[in-house]
Amino acid sequence: MPLTDYRTLGRSGLIVSPMALGAMTFGTRRWGADEDGSRAIFDAYVEAGGNFIDTADVYSGGESERLVGRFVADRGLRDRIVIATKSGFGTGDHPHSGGNGAKHVHDALNGSLKRLGTDHIDLYWAHVWDQVTPVEEMLETLVNLVRAGKVRYYGLSNVPAWYAARMATLAQARGLPGPVALQFEYSLVERGIENEHVRMAAELGMGLQPWSPLGGGFLSGKYRRDDPANVAGQRGPALPDGAPDDGKAGDARLSGANPFGDSKFTERNWDVLDTVKAIAEEVGATPAQVALNWLAGRPGVGSILIGASRPAQVADNVAALEVVLSPDQRRRLDAASAPVATYPTTLFTPMVQRFTLGGAEVPAWTAG
């Protein structure tokens, strides 16, 4: 089964499935499922061989963690399942209810352990950079959690490349456990991390776990270019990733307030989707499967974070790993989705390479 094609995440001994099940939909009134529906999704994933579950303290006000812990315990899977959770986004209305400071991280982790019903977290993510906490403090906090046995590995999500590079470098220089992975939005309609993060992660031994691999559902093909509602500038304010949902908007992920605003409804993205649909017809797959397969083949990607609101979506997503795209089809997807380069990225061109390396071939891992 594709999900049992296990691999290590980054330069670590953490062995995971190529697709992780995101539990952001567990217990949510919109986009998601109730307890019975969430359990069915969980069961479909683990029965397909999956071993990597991702949640966060902020998802569904903590209900996602409670459900994950209950499902794992009910099936006696704690030794088999890699549980990942996060802290960083605010869960209250006081200064220490969020962020990366030691006080909040310790309190948040203890809350997560209680809700998950476990004595340790396999992979603990810093959910977002708070722009305040020094790298040294955050490194010390996370290392101390590893040494205390409450956390096995840790990673970074939604942080600047320089911040992640400094933390990993300090850890290496001091002989401390360092971050093993990065979790960022990454898809055919969001390739911004290729400017800095992808190469930095490869150099420092961190694996990549993309979130929102379908661009909030945009790459599923369920949205139409000719729908007047799907136009940039006609959406409400975006919700922060993982923010509580009032359940008042429509069922589609990009309808109403959402973590992406209306940023996906651009002419460039519609053109990307046209290419995805054309290739999907050529290979007999869905647009979502083509988009996921392309991402699975990108340099450094260790495990893709998939979400589901019903069990059938798990099987559909997993089937993407068996799609075969030709080199020409991958080139077409690369070209259609190529991000707009900015300085200094624009300086790193084949022309400059000829002047600096005499035309020598650049190592494959540096490809963006």
Side-chain angles (χ1 to χ4, degrees):
M1 294 182 290
L3 288 184
T4 59
D5 180 21
Y6 302 121
R7 68 282 309 275
T8 56
L9 188 61
R11 197 177 299 156
S12 78
L14 185 62
I15 301 172
V16 298
S17 294
M19 285 183 171
L21 179 62
M24 184 177 177
T25 59
F26 287 12
T28 60
R29 287 174 288 170
R30 180 181 163 214
W31 318 319
D34 60 14
E35 180 170 349
D36 289 341
S38 299
R39 186 185 295 272
I41 293 167
F42 174 85
D43 288 344
Y45 176 76
V46 297
E47 288 166 11
N51 79 332
F52 194 4
I53 309 294
D54 183 276
T55 183
D57 61 350
V58 75
Y59 294 165
S60 310
E63 183 65 12
S64 174
E65 289 183 323
R66 282 186 284 269
L67 291 176
V68 168
R70 192 175 307 156
F71 300 159
V72 171
D74 287 350
R75 294 191 55 156
L77 295 174
R78 185 64 190 93
D79 291 342
R80 170 187 162 185
I81 296 295
V82 173
I83 294 179
T85 193
K86 317 177 187 76
S87 70
F89 279 107
T91 56
D93 57 2
H94 59 86
H96 290 293
S97 64
N100 309 135
K103 177 174 171 56
H104 172 68
V105 172
H106 280 273
D107 290 345
L109 177 65
N110 288 334
S112 291
L113 291 172
K114 182 177 180 180
R115 287 186 292 272
L116 286 162
T118 185
D119 63 358
H120 71 278
I121 303 300
D122 298 304
L123 177 59
Y124 197 54
W125 297 102
H127 205 166
V128 66
W129 179 45
D130 66 7
Q131 305 180 63
V132 174
T133 305
V135 174
E136 294 83 357
E137 178 182 339
M138 192 173 181
L139 174 62
E140 181 178 10
T141 300
L142 294 169
V143 168
N144 285 341
L145 291 175
V146 172
R147 288 174 168 167
K150 293 184 175 183
V151 168
R152 298 294 189 256
Y153 301 89
Y154 67 91
L156 304 172
S157 180
N158 307 312
V159 302
W162 67 261
Y163 195 93
R166 179 165 171 78
M167 182 178 292
T169 301
L170 284 172
Q172 290 180 4
R174 297 175 180 178
L176 303 173
V180 301
L182 301 177
Q183 189 183 96
F184 281 80
E185 182 180 359
Y186 191 18
S187 72
L188 277 163
V189 292
E190 179 49 73
R191 294 175 59 182
I193 66 168
E194 291 180 4
N195 286 329
E196 294 285 349
H197 292 78
V198 172
R199 297 184 184 186
M200 179 271 296
E203 178 68 24
L204 295 172
M206 290 179 279
L208 299 175
Q209 184 178 51
W211 60 263
S212 193
L214 297 179
F218 179 85
L219 291 165
S220 69
K222 66 184 175 183
Y223 298 96
R224 302 194 318 273
R225 189 196 294 253
D226 59 0
D227 185 340
N230 297 336
V231 177
Q234 297 194 15
R235 295 289 179 214
L239 294 171
D241 176 39
D245 174 36
D246 62 12
K248 297 178 181 178
D251 292 334
R253 181 71 184 272
L254 295 179
S255 300
N258 66 84
F260 310 97
D262 57 19
S263 63
K264 304 307 178 190
F265 300 125
T266 66
E267 282 304 308
R268 171 193 174 276
N269 288 353
W270 290 118
D271 290 343
V272 171
L273 184 57
D274 287 343
T275 301
V276 171
K277 288 181 175 179
I279 292 176
E281 290 188 10
E282 294 171 13
V283 300
T286 66
Q289 289 167 345
V290 168
L292 290 170
N293 187 275
W294 173 88
L295 187 57
R298 298 302 291 169
V301 171
S303 183
I304 297 173
L305 188 57
I306 60 169
S309 56
R310 56 186 186 277
Q313 290 179 332
V314 174
D316 288 344
N317 287 338
V318 172
L321 296 172
E322 298 181 309
V323 171
V324 178
L325 298 178
S326 70
D328 178 67
Q329 289 167 334
R330 288 190 177 277
R331 281 192 293 268
R332 286 159 57 194
L333 291 168
D334 290 347
S337 63
V340 177
T342 57
Y343 179 83
T345 304
T346 50
L347 186 64
F348 311 138
T349 65
M351 180 183 70
V352 174
Q353 182 185 344
R354 287 199 302 274
F355 290 129
T356 56
L357 297 178
E361 185 175 355
V362 172
W365 68 264
T366 65

